[in-house]
Amino acid sequence: MIVTGFGPFGQVTLNPSGWLAERSGKPHRTVEVSFRAADALIEQLKMEPFQGLLMLGVAGLEPKMRVEMFARNEIGRTLAVDGEDRAGYIDQTMPALLGSSLWRRALDFPPAPFWRLSFDAGNYLCNYLAFRALQAFPGKRIGFLHVPDPSVVPCETQLQWFHQILDWIERYK
């Protein structure tokens, strides 16, 4: 399993997704918040043998981790850190939604107050990376997890939660 997280962007100087990826105990990558960097990551991963990819991104002020069940074929108007605007469809030849292949057994996860299923990964870079990964690696276990802002849930607490989720992923293959 490879774990990815994003680096800083805007007013987010400590991106908990990158912080968690680095402390996951798994091979990891930190990705710049740009479409170009997301595309480069997908191209790099095409050259590497791996079975699973768990991508992380910060979701805002909700005090739970969000298990993203789908990625949408859509990008909104928010600019990447390098100013690039890719608003519109990600790929006009693809369907509107791609289902996560990592979370198929998520309903088997034990109930916990720190996570919930989500059916909307947004329309920015998190969703873009998830869609591209699902598109590029249809035979692999691919999933996206949104994590809270550290002002809502401290990174150390998130790390405990994250390790439980990683354990569940291994248990419920």
Side-chain angles (χ1 to χ4, degrees):
M1 173 78 60
I2 296 174
V3 178
T4 70
F6 287 104
F9 69 101
Q11 294 184 350
V12 178
T13 56
L14 170 63
N15 192 323
S17 68
W19 190 90
L20 290 167
E22 290 173 9
R23 289 158 180 81
S24 67
K26 307 283 185 189
H28 64 277
R29 307 283 194 299
T30 301
V31 184
E32 176 186 81
V33 182
S34 72
F35 298 105
R36 177 190 42 75
D39 291 337
L41 173 66
I42 297 300
E43 290 307 312
Q44 276 180 340
L45 291 174
K46 287 179 179 177
M47 307 300 173
E48 296 181 32
F50 70 96
Q51 294 303 309
L53 176 63
L54 176 54
M55 299 159 286
L56 308 175
V58 65
L61 301 179
E62 181 179 7
K64 291 186 178 193
M65 293 188 165
R66 291 188 351 225
V67 172
E68 300 298 348
M69 300 302 290
F70 298 97
R72 295 184 300 156
N73 188 357
E74 171 186 349
I75 294 298
R77 288 263 170 226
T78 305
L79 301 179
V81 295
D82 59 4
E84 185 176 5
D85 178 359
R86 288 201 187 174
Y89 291 109
I90 296 171
D91 185 335
Q92 291 185 356
T93 68
M94 295 294 293
L97 293 173
L98 294 179
S100 172
S101 53
L102 180 64
W103 304 122
R104 289 187 180 139
R105 301 284 310 270
L107 294 175
D108 295 332
F109 285 8
F114 61 82
W115 72 275
R116 73 172 177 88
L117 297 179
S118 172
F119 300 94
D120 185 358
N123 64 0
Y124 186 45
L125 209 44
C126 295
N127 176 71
Y128 178 81
L129 181 58
F131 191 91
R132 283 295 189 206
L134 288 164
Q135 180 183 30
F137 309 111
K140 299 193 184 279
R141 297 174 68 211
I142 307 295
F144 199 96
L145 180 70
H146 268 116
V147 302
D149 187 280
S151 67
V152 178
V153 178
C155 287
E156 292 78 13
T157 301
Q158 291 189 47
L159 185 59
Q160 293 171 0
W161 297 351
F162 183 53
H163 280 293
Q164 286 185 48
I165 289 173
L166 286 173
D167 289 344
W168 296 338
I169 289 169
E170 289 302 314
R171 191 174 315 140
Y172 297 101
K173 287 182 178 179

